Amino acid sequence: MKKRSVKNTRINEEVLRELSNIIRGDVKDPRVSPLTSVVAVEVAPDLKTAKAYISVLGDEADAEKTLEGLKSSAGYIRHMLAENINLRNTPEITYIMDQSIEYGVRMSHLIDEVNKEKGND
């Protein structure tokens, strides 16, 4: 597996920062939940495509609606990204739902329950 270059890592961080700002402040689609966060971004080395891992606090229906809203706003988001970041190519973004935060909260809750039961024994 190829080691990531420093340049690619910096581009990933910059796209993540700008994408978070755009989703939080500029996207006016009512389907996009205000509790949406961008967990990670992976931009391809040729800068043509990017994968954005999205996390939505709420139930499954909120996550699906948010994903629909982001996909329908893809052209606007890409345009805003091109204005804010000076790259040779502005990547076409694919949104992927990331459940890792929700999974971590659930596991923490389960650990707390086990510890509470041990304390009662």
Side-chain angles (χ1 to χ4, degrees):
M1 188 168 178
K2 191 169 105 171
K3 186 178 176 184
R4 288 216 172 136
S5 69
V6 174
K7 178 183 174 187
N8 200 358
T9 303
R10 281 191 317 210
I11 290 172
N12 289 344
E13 291 171 1
E14 186 66 25
V15 170
L16 176 112
R17 186 178 316 114
E18 287 300 325
L19 190 59
S20 296
N21 290 337
I22 291 167
I23 290 173
R24 184 178 56 243
D26 295 338
V27 175
K28 303 295 186 216
D29 194 322
R31 294 175 290 185
V32 177
S33 171
L35 301 174
T36 302
S37 60
V38 181
V39 179
V41 173
E42 293 178 3
V43 179
D46 65 354
L47 304 176
K48 301 253 186 226
T49 61
K51 293 178 187 174
Y53 296 92
I54 305 294
S55 178
V56 179
L57 191 62
D59 59 358
E60 191 70 28
D62 287 342
E64 290 299 319
K65 286 195 292 186
T66 298
L67 214 51
E68 277 181 32
L70 289 174
K71 286 179 181 176
S72 70
S73 302
Y76 175 74
I77 293 172
R78 190 172 181 197
H79 171 73
M80 293 300 293
L81 202 59
E83 284 184 358
N84 296 334
I85 300 177
N86 186 16
L87 292 174
R88 185 178 336 128
N89 297 319
T90 303
E92 187 172 330
I93 302 168
T94 304
Y95 299 100
I96 300 169
M97 195 54 64
D98 183 37
Q99 304 294 340
S100 62
I101 294 174
E102 183 179 322
Y103 178 77
V105 169
R106 191 173 84 233
M107 292 309 268
S108 177
H109 181 68
L110 291 173
I111 290 170
D112 290 344
E113 284 181 14
V114 169
N115 287 338
K116 195 182 296 182
E117 288 176 7
K118 281 188 175 183
N120 291 338
D121 288 345

